[in-house]
Amino acid sequence: MTPETIEGYGVRLRPCHLGDVPDVVAGCADPETRRFMPLLPDPYDADAARWWITEGAPAAWAAGGAAYTIADPATDRLLGSIGLTRLSAERAMYEIGYWVGPAARGRGVATAATRLLTERAFAAGAARLELLTRVDNVASQRIALACGYRHEGVRRAAGTDGDGVRQDLIAWVRLADDPPGPVARLLPDLPDGRLTDGVVTLRPVEPADTDALFRLHSLPEVVANRVPPAPPERAALARRCRLAASRWLAGEAADLAILDAATGTVTGGCALFYDEPATGQAMIGYSLLPEARGRGLAARTVRLVAGWAFGIGVARLWAGTRPDNVASQRVLERAGFRREGLLRGRLPGPDGTRVDSVVYGRLAADEN
């Protein structure tokens, strides 16, 4: 690639120049930028910006990569920065990265610039592009999907935070012969961000739900139905809440908080796991805090999730309960599920024992 100006999708990519210094400083000193780019100089001042423009960016080009300013086509003013790092010349592999200044966020600038540079890179001979995101950088994960990058896996401890602590990174990859984006998602967003029937409201799990869900999953009767049947560690549950949005985007699970629609109080949790995408089968699990039980909230929750799941293409839902969990079996039956059989010794029990699982199923074609 050569440092020439390109335009498309409402943005301009051009070489950096010294007139960009004030906007580079404003963008790279911004706390949100620094949160995901912890290796930037601190403080980030005009000297750091001038170094990047006169030495850092030219070095990126000399190494076979690219370093562009993202500019407004109407004013040529800097909106952010985007570039490529060559990972392997022999394999034609590159990593793409970007940042967008505070004033330009929420306008699709990063998506437009990523799409434009991706097309340019493939036209210039790249075979594989990687976009690495922090597990909590949901905005960048959405950009990756919108630009045709597919979730490829997690690179453990591949990055660092501002304190030097190792952080996992998610690898999103697009190949030269992949179709253009956006990538179809197994688990789309909920309509309007939530499901509700006026009594129960379901929304995606958030980090702030950690305390309520830790209390829920530490209850003895809930622990007995966990796999394995052991109390959770709070750090592990906090991580689950922190990564819930990322796992949803990757199509692994729709992790939901159950709320009292009138008060907004978290009353339990529910999760949909798309365990067999090839056959259109997904599994549902749920549990309520003691103060929310006996009010029909669990059956309402299951019906809401089932309706949404069938609407996005799931053909079959299933759930398993312990043979002695009669309350959960009644919930499933009230929600239109049918008892299908018993799987002997399916689940790990305490002290190395095995526990049977009663299987319930519901098809999209079934009447509720």
Side-chain angles (χ1 to χ4, degrees), residues 7-303:
E7 289 192 22
Y9 304 113
V11 296
R12 172 181 296 159
L13 304 187
R14 61 161 173 79
C16 315
H17 57 61
L18 289 174
D20 294 331
V21 167
D23 290 325
V24 171
V25 172
C28 291
D30 176 69
E32 188 68 8
T33 303
R34 301 193 62 83
R35 186 161 76 94
F36 297 115
M37 300 179 66
L39 299 182
L40 287 172
D42 188 18
Y44 199 98
D45 55 19
D47 287 339
R50 279 190 288 268
W51 177 89
W52 167 250
I53 292 167
T54 60
E55 298 185 43
W61 288 105
Y68 283 107
T69 285
I70 308 171
D72 184 326
T75 65
D76 200 45
R77 184 166 180 176
L78 179 144
L79 303 174
S81 180
I82 191 167
L84 295 170
T85 299
R86 185 162 68 177
L87 302 176
S88 171
E90 295 79 8
R91 298 174 183 172
M93 293 170 47
Y94 296 80
E95 179 184 342
I96 190 168
Y98 52 82
W99 61 264
V100 172
R105 292 175 191 154
R107 294 162 43 187
V109 169
T111 300
T114 300
R115 184 176 290 128
L116 183 59
L117 185 53
T118 295
E119 292 176 359
R120 181 72 170 196
F122 287 140
R128 173 184 166 94
L129 297 180
E130 298 184 358
L131 196 164
L132 303 180
T133 70
R134 284 255 300 264
V135 294
D136 56 343
N137 191 348
V138 176
S140 272
Q141 294 167 35
R142 289 184 178 276
I143 289 167
L145 288 166
C147 293
Y149 287 72
R150 303 182 187 182
H151 183 275
E152 193 166 89
V154 175
R155 294 190 176 175
R156 295 184 301 148
T160 59
D161 64 14
D163 298 321
V165 178
R166 305 300 300 185
Q167 297 283 329
D168 292 347
L169 297 177
I170 301 176
W172 303 86
V173 175
R174 184 169 163 188
L175 306 182
D177 56 358
D178 281 343
V183 173
R185 288 171 51 188
L186 281 175
L187 297 171
D189 294 333
L190 300 179
D192 300 320
R194 58 188 55 217
L195 301 172
T196 187
D197 64 359
V199 177
V200 165
T201 295
L202 309 177
R203 61 155 172 78
V205 163
E206 303 169 350
D209 297 324
T210 297
D211 287 342
L213 294 184
F214 180 67
R215 181 163 75 92
L216 173 67
H217 287 278
S218 299
L219 296 169
E221 65 274 22
V222 177
V223 170
N225 290 281
R226 286 173 56 88
V227 180
E233 295 182 357
R234 192 182 188 286
L237 197 54
R239 176 178 170 80
R240 170 181 164 178
C241 293
R242 192 170 68 252
L243 302 187
S246 177
R247 294 181 66 210
W248 194 310
L249 287 173
E252 297 172 7
D255 215 347
L256 297 157
I258 305 172
L259 279 61
D260 182 310
T263 65
T265 304
V266 175
T267 59
C270 179
L272 179 80
F273 301 92
Y274 216 144
D275 58 335
E276 283 190 13
T279 65
Q281 175 178 277
M283 180 184 75
I284 188 171
Y286 50 87
S287 50
L288 290 175
L289 288 163
E291 60 268 28
R293 296 172 190 165
R295 297 160 49 192
L297 303 186
R300 288 175 176 273
T301 293
V302 175
R303 281 194 290 266

Side-chain angles (χ1 to χ4, degrees), residues 334-357:
R334 286 198 296 270
F337 284 68
R338 303 178 188 179
R339 179 172 174 143
E340 295 182 338
L342 179 74
L343 296 179
R344 295 184 304 127
R346 177 179 175 271
L347 302 173
D351 303 322
T353 60
R354 304 293 300 183
V355 178
D356 296 343
S357 177

